Amino acid sequence: MGARRGRPRLPVELEYEFWDVVRAGCSIEEASVAVGVSVSAGRAWVGERGGVMPPATAGPGSRRLSFAEREEIALLRAEGRGVREIARTVGRDPGTISRELRRVSHSPVSSAQRRAYRASTAQGDADARAKRPKTAKLATNLPLRREVQQRLRENHSPEQIAARLREDFPDDPEMWVSHETIYQALYVQGRGALKRELVKYLRTGRAVRKPHRRPDKRRGQIQGMVNIADRPKQVEDRAVPGDWEGDLILGSTESGSAIGTLVERATGFTMLLHLRGDHTAETVAGAMIEKMLDLPEQLRRSLTWDQGSEMANHAQIAEATGLDIYFCDPHSPWQRGTNENTNGLLRQYFPKGTDLSRWGPGYLDKVAAELNARPRKRLAWRTPAEALDKLLSEQSNPPGVATTA
């Protein structure tokens, strides 16, 4: 009998995307939904790694063929296209395509199977080759392993063990090990140089390591928030101005800077919030209240925002401005698509990874004015400023109502 065929393995790109979302502070369930896999698949990834996140720099590199590229290669190969034509279509070097097809032809399958290139099979083989785990130090250094195991049994934490080993063996680097290596040896499949039962000596005693949230990310729902599902249906038709979408665009990690963006749904009219070097809830609330109170009351109907901790003071904002504030579902940027599109335009002025605190309120107003003066196709080539003026004028002078000269 042939080998039993199981389910095809999910592309490794999805797994690293999943870990990126977890690293950003989301739960396993949220991260699974965000990347489009089942919660059981997300839990399986966590179980395989013992809850230990891969390094942020890990993952498939740009030099590797993606699953989408392999699917395209499979289709073109089935149509009888040659290597050079496939390479041109996919945008890869012919040598890359040739090696990819050659690997499949040399795989240990029957000659009938060998003629067919299958994207899922090729991706699974590539993922297996890419793992290539380095031999763990604790697996090859027996004296070090014994020392670590003994100290774990004495209820020392991995961090305490790592520090004391350097103190106790100052002239022997072979007896040094990092606390993260100890955790991985306990938890990660394939790196289990330490006996798994030793986890019971850790303070938590967990069989699976719990992924840590980043300290600057939210740890729960914002108190008193109203979900977008409860937003009135009339907001959707964009017929009346005054419904806004908002978010932050973030600067470099080192600077901790950000700019608040507010976009009116009906017209795309944009306002930018100067946050004076940080984006705490207090700073965002103060900047938004100040900016919104510059608008006439009829333009302060509602605001839809992401579930970021910067909106923890939403009740204060609502009371001061009269806005009804609604929050999107986690990781659902399409629920404020007008704002997302505008943030993309703003990156022309404020590139990713730069210090945004260098820009003063005057420059932010100048950028907003430029965006509001750009003709837009969806506005029949009117500008957002012109469209907003037109809607306000129609509200002031509705059809059928005579105006006095």
Side-chain angles (χ1 to χ4, degrees):
M1 291 180 62
R4 183 178 180 270
R5 296 181 64 185
R7 291 184 180 179
R9 184 178 176 87
L10 291 168
V12 72
E13 289 92 344
L14 278 180
E15 181 182 354
Y16 282 103
E17 187 179 345
F18 166 86
W19 284 112
D20 285 341
V21 178
V22 172
R23 191 176 290 110
C26 297
S27 67
I28 294 168
E29 292 76 14
E30 290 171 337
S32 301
V33 172
V35 303
V37 301
S38 66
V39 174
S40 62
R43 287 174 178 156
W45 282 331
V46 174
E48 286 174 6
R49 291 185 171 273
V52 180
M53 287 188 285
T57 54
S62 59
R63 293 176 62 187
R64 291 186 61 198
L65 288 167
S66 68
F67 183 61
E69 288 175 315
R70 289 190 166 95
E71 285 186 316
E72 192 168 4
I73 291 171
L75 289 172
L76 295 170
R77 190 65 167 171
E79 293 172 2
R81 308 291 180 87
V83 168
R84 291 191 177 278
E85 187 176 358
I86 294 174
R88 282 195 301 271
T89 304
V90 179
R92 290 283 186 166
D93 185 87
T96 301
I97 304 301
S98 178
R99 285 190 297 273
E100 176 71 10
L101 295 173
R102 213 163 43 237
R103 286 192 190 101
V104 174
S105 69
H106 292 159
S107 61
V109 296
S110 69
S111 58
Q113 289 175 304
R114 194 176 297 144
R115 287 193 292 269
Y117 175 90
R118 292 182 174 85
S120 58
T121 303
Q123 185 68 45
D125 292 343
D127 292 347
R129 288 194 305 272
K131 286 189 174 181
R132 297 192 190 100
K134 293 167 62 178
T135 304
K137 186 175 184 179
L138 287 165
T140 58
N141 188 329
L142 185 57
L144 175 61
R145 184 164 79 240
R146 287 173 176 164
E147 195 72 38
V148 170
Q149 289 182 160
Q150 179 58 38
R151 296 179 191 225
L152 284 170
R153 291 190 180 98
E154 294 171 0
N155 297 313
H156 294 191
S157 73
E159 187 173 15
Q160 290 167 339
I161 294 170
R164 280 300 309 215
L165 285 173
R166 287 177 176 263
E167 292 289 326
D168 296 340
F169 301 92
D171 302 318
D172 188 2
E174 287 300 306
M175 292 296 290
W176 300 351
V177 66
S178 71
H179 66 278
E180 186 60 32
T181 297
I182 298 174
Y183 277 120
Q184 292 200 15
L186 286 167
Y187 285 117
V188 181
Q189 286 185 8
R191 298 184 72 90
L194 298 177
K195 295 179 180 179
R196 191 63 180 266
E197 65 264 25
L198 290 173
V199 297
K200 68 184 181 183
Y201 293 105
L202 298 179
R203 182 177 56 82
T204 62
R206 293 192 187 101
V208 175
R209 193 177 182 189
K210 185 178 180 182
H212 291 280
R213 293 176 182 266
R214 281 175 51 182
D216 57 334
K217 296 295 181 179
R218 62 183 180 85
R219 289 185 173 269
Q221 289 190 335
I222 296 172
Q223 292 296 316
M225 72 175 192
V226 180
N227 189 268
I228 191 172
D230 297 319
R231 191 174 68 177
K233 298 300 181 185
Q234 57 264 33
V235 176
E236 296 295 328
D237 61 21
R238 302 175 188 264
V240 180
D243 296 305
W244 299 81
E245 295 174 1
D247 194 18
L248 301 178
I249 57 173
L250 300 177
S252 62
T253 305
E254 296 78 13
S255 67
S257 57
I259 294 172
T261 64
L262 293 166
V263 186
E264 202 279 316
R265 283 176 52 83
T267 63
F269 187 86
T270 300
M271 298 191 301
L272 301 180
L273 305 179
H274 182 249
L275 299 179
R276 297 175 178 84
D278 66 67
H279 49 283
T280 62
E282 293 76 14
T283 300
V284 171
M288 193 180 304
I289 291 170
E290 181 180 354
K291 184 66 72 172
M292 278 292 178
L293 290 180
D294 286 340
L295 297 173
E297 187 175 351
Q298 65 265 38
L299 286 183
R300 291 184 263 129
R301 288 161 41 89
S302 75
L303 170 65
T304 303
W305 198 279
D306 198 10
Q307 290 189 32
S309 60
E310 69 276 0
M311 285 295 287
N313 291 347
H314 63 93
Q316 176 189 350
I317 297 169
E319 182 178 0
T321 63
L323 288 166
D324 294 325
I325 300 178
Y326 304 96
F327 289 87
C328 299
D329 296 320
H331 314 294
S332 304
W334 58 88
Q335 293 179 343
R336 43 175 188 78
T338 305
N339 180 248
E340 277 291 291
N341 290 336
T342 302
N343 287 350
L345 297 176
L346 285 166
R347 284 302 186 184
Q348 177 182 349
Y349 300 92
F350 310 110
K352 291 182 179 180
T354 59
D355 182 0
L356 302 184
S357 64
R358 59 185 291 205
W359 306 113
Y363 183 73
L364 299 192
D365 290 343
K366 176 180 179 293
V367 170
E370 282 191 19
L371 286 187
N372 294 332
R374 286 189 188 183
R376 304 290 176 88
K377 184 177 182 179
R378 77 176 181 91
L379 300 175
W381 301 113
R382 290 194 302 273
T383 69
E386 291 169 342
L388 185 61
D389 285 343
K390 183 174 184 293
L391 284 175
L392 289 174
S393 176
E394 289 172 351
Q395 280 189 325
S396 302
N397 302 294
V401 178
T403 58
T404 57

